[in-house]
Amino acid sequence: MFRVLRAFWNDQRGIALILVAITLPAIIGFSLVAIDMSRASNLHHDLQEGADAFSIAAAAELDGKSDSITRADRALATLVANQYNRLHSGPPQTLAAAGVTRRYLRSLPASDNLPIVSANIIADEVADASDARFVEVRVTPVGFAAIFPASFVTAGTSGSWTIGAVAVAGFKSGVCDFTPVFICNPYENDPDGHTLEEAVSNVNLRRRLIELRKVGNGAAAGPGNFGFLEPPEGVGNGAQALAQTIATSKPVGCYSAEGVTTKTGQNAGPVQDAFNVRFGIGANGNHFDSPLYGPAVNVRKGAIRTQGSANQCPSYNQLTFGTPNMGMPRDASWPYMNGRMGDGNWNLSGYWSTNFGSASYPSSWDTTKPTRYDVYRYEIANSLVGTASAGGEVGTPSSACQPPVTTVDRRLIYGAILNCTALEQNNDLSGHSTDLPVEAFASFFLTEPVSSTSEDASVMVELVDITGRGGQGTLDDFLRDEAQLYR
């Protein structure tokens, strides 16, 4: 009897079954937990993808215009519908705009680990829509039921909870194929309260002539002056290399609205040439002697040749300006920007009769005076470029110059608009300053050649268009806009 009991006690056959029976609940429990974690992770991944897609779709509309939030909401409502799957809880569900909430932001905290506060949020989505730069999309939490019975571990514990997702996306803007020039915002702190956006949309402001002067020895970095940006890599560092990047009809530089870098000052001589080749005026030393530096198709400037050979592109000192010819006239008075911005009242009738005699122009010009750029474009569109003025000048460039450039408008110059007065408090805009925020990128019409090589040489321009809010869309080909996730 004892031998039988001892044999039974020492017999280890079937012990594995006992161990399995003891540990089986734990094995099943861990398996269920792993399955629940995988399901929860998959659900969160699906919801996060939805939040990311919604935020990017909305952010792509935040271009700084007054209707940007309206368009962003429309994108949320119509462009995106993601599916999420809770496996055993039924078929895949669709996450649409009704399943998310959003708020628009003017800025983000300095660090990702800091919360978004009221100062970052657009409170008035109608009045301040143009300030919206980011959007936060929050997915309404979705219910999740675990397979593992949580109450088995702790009495009364629920095996159900909710899972959500949050994403923040923003609109990033920049330009490519732009010249390395910055122009100090002529309407920064404007005493009449006008803004850059208003100037572009209002012809009475847009036709005001602006006298730009180079930042450096001749002028401070204030409204109405200009300077240079760091050229793209490989261009070179000298004044001549910089001038060539300004003069070329195919610039290669790309610049971000989030920050640009200024270049230390260069002498103005080559820069004068860089502007004037656009008028069919030959550069000193023939540095711009390829078709990339050809003139505009319309170079009318109120000048006749009085010196030099007809077989060469004339230099500035070979030309005589004025009667009986007339280029684009300057404004009658200069009451703005300390005498550097005109009143927009220019002599249209004198210019037209001198250059085109009895030829008609649109009757609407008698009611609302056009900009000089409007007149210039009208001359091209209506085949008036070759019409001789009273003094015999035509707008067609001399055949002795490089062939005119027809792919771009050579009488336009492009630049980044900076709020120089504010920026100059902490930066040297005539030197090397980095990460300077751009108010907008803009185009300006050159109304006349640059007459001097001195540091304070005047560049006479009209504002034509800007990117972003208030823009007319003529710079869209230069824009490189993209929406990206930030959080």
Side-chain angles (χ1 to χ4, degrees):
M1 179 69 176
F2 288 107
R3 188 167 50 251
V4 174
L5 292 175
R6 188 181 299 111
F8 177 77
W9 180 261
N10 294 325
D11 191 352
Q12 296 185 10
R13 290 175 297 176
I15 194 171
L17 181 60
I18 298 173
L19 294 175
V20 169
I22 294 173
T23 59
L24 185 59
I27 294 173
I28 294 174
F30 281 120
S31 298
L32 292 179
V33 169
I35 292 172
D36 284 340
M37 291 178 64
S38 176
R39 292 174 56 236
S41 177
N42 288 338
L43 176 57
H44 179 265
H45 178 267
D46 289 347
L47 296 178
Q48 188 63 58
E49 281 193 333
D52 292 348
F54 275 111
S55 62
I56 289 174
E61 304 297 332
L62 302 181
D63 56 1
K65 296 183 179 179
S66 59
D67 64 341
S68 60
I69 288 182
T70 300
R71 287 184 282 109
D73 283 343
R74 187 183 305 128
L76 283 173
T78 61
L79 294 185
V80 183
N82 277 48
Q83 288 192 329
Y84 62 91
N85 198 331
R86 289 178 289 185
L87 297 179
H88 80 289
S89 300
Q93 304 294 308
T94 298
L95 176 64
V100 303
T101 57
R102 91 295 183 270
R103 56 180 179 175
Y104 293 97
L105 314 174
R106 66 178 75 248
S107 61
L108 292 177
S111 174
D112 286 348
N113 60 358
L114 296 176
I116 293 172
V117 297
S118 58
N120 303 125
I121 302 170
I122 298 292
D124 190 334
E125 294 184 356
V126 176
D128 298 332
S130 60
D131 293 330
R133 291 292 179 270
F134 307 92
V135 59
E136 178 195 64
V137 172
R138 189 177 294 272
V139 175
T140 303
V142 173
F144 177 83
I147 300 174
F148 180 78
S151 59
F152 179 80
V153 178
T154 303
T157 301
S158 172
S160 299
W161 64 88
T162 58
I163 296 177
V166 181
V168 176
F171 187 79
K172 185 177 182 180
S173 181
V175 293
C176 282
D177 305 328
F178 234 60
T179 47
V181 172
F182 75 83
I183 295 168
C184 295
N185 186 356
Y187 289 93
E188 182 183 13
N189 303 322
D190 183 73
D192 295 331
H194 296 306
T195 65
L196 192 63
E197 296 79 21
E198 291 175 331
V200 168
S201 60
N202 185 341
V203 67
N204 294 320
L205 300 177
R206 199 168 66 248
R207 67 169 179 256
R208 290 179 177 178
L209 199 60
I210 302 171
E211 179 185 356
L212 303 179
R213 289 183 181 173
K214 180 177 167 294
V215 172
N217 295 334
N225 294 323
F226 74 98
F228 308 117
L229 300 177
E230 192 70 33
E233 292 184 8
V235 169
N237 295 319
Q240 187 58 51
L242 175 64
Q244 287 175 320
T245 65
I246 297 172
T248 181
S249 59
K250 292 184 178 180
V252 295
C254 290
Y255 301 95
S256 170
E258 295 181 349
V260 293
T261 299
T262 56
K263 183 175 178 62
T264 53
Q266 302 286 348
N267 66 69
V271 176
Q272 179 203 34
D273 294 338
F275 288 130
N276 288 349
V277 293
R278 302 160 185 265
F279 287 92
I281 298 176
N284 296 323
N286 292 323
H287 295 295
F288 308 101
D289 54 357
S290 80
L292 290 176
Y293 308 109
V297 295
N298 184 357
V299 299
R300 194 181 300 274
K301 49 191 172 288
I304 56 173
R305 178 197 288 274
T306 54
Q307 301 179 48
S309 168
N311 295 321
Q312 65 186 44
C313 202
S315 298
Y316 195 94
N317 58 11
Q318 297 171 344
L319 298 170
T320 297
F321 291 81
T323 307
N325 297 291
M326 180 182 285
M328 292 290 184
R330 297 186 179 185
D331 288 352
S333 64
W334 296 76
Y336 306 106
M337 210 171 68
N338 296 321
R340 302 268 304 288
M341 181 188 288
D343 61 357
N345 181 24
W346 65 284
N347 187 3
L348 169 63
S349 60
Y351 172 81
W352 193 265
S353 62
T354 298
N355 289 289
F356 307 111
S358 60
S360 62
Y361 57 75
S363 58
S364 60
W365 290 1
D366 292 323
T367 303
T368 302
K369 184 174 292 187
T371 67
R372 296 165 184 81
Y373 184 63
D374 290 335
V375 175
Y376 161 81
R377 295 302 305 174
Y378 183 85
E379 295 173 25
I380 295 173
N382 291 274
S383 303
L384 295 173
V385 176
T387 301
S389 70
E393 183 194 25
V394 296
T396 307
S398 169
S399 58
C401 301
Q402 296 292 339
V405 176
T406 58
T407 54
V408 295
D409 194 335
R410 294 283 281 154
R411 291 280 292 273
L412 293 181
I413 61 171
Y414 303 92
I417 302 294
L418 305 183
N419 288 326
C420 295
T421 300
L423 292 173
E424 185 73 0
Q425 296 178 14
N426 299 306
N427 302 274
D428 176 15
L429 299 188
S430 64
H432 186 79
S433 295
T434 61
D435 297 327
L436 302 176
V438 177
E439 179 70 12
F441 293 97
S443 56
F444 291 84
F445 175 58
L446 283 167
T447 62
E448 61 185 66
V450 180
S451 61
S452 172
T453 61
S454 67
E455 284 288 336
D456 61 350
S458 295
V459 182
M460 311 303 294
V461 299
E462 276 184 346
L463 175 63
V464 176
D465 200 3
I466 61 173
T467 58
R469 56 187 184 275
Q472 308 300 306
T474 62
L475 297 176
D476 287 353
D477 288 344
F478 296 94
L479 286 173
R480 300 296 185 269
D481 293 337
E482 62 181 16
Q484 68 178 46
L485 289 171
Y486 285 84
R487 290 189 173 191

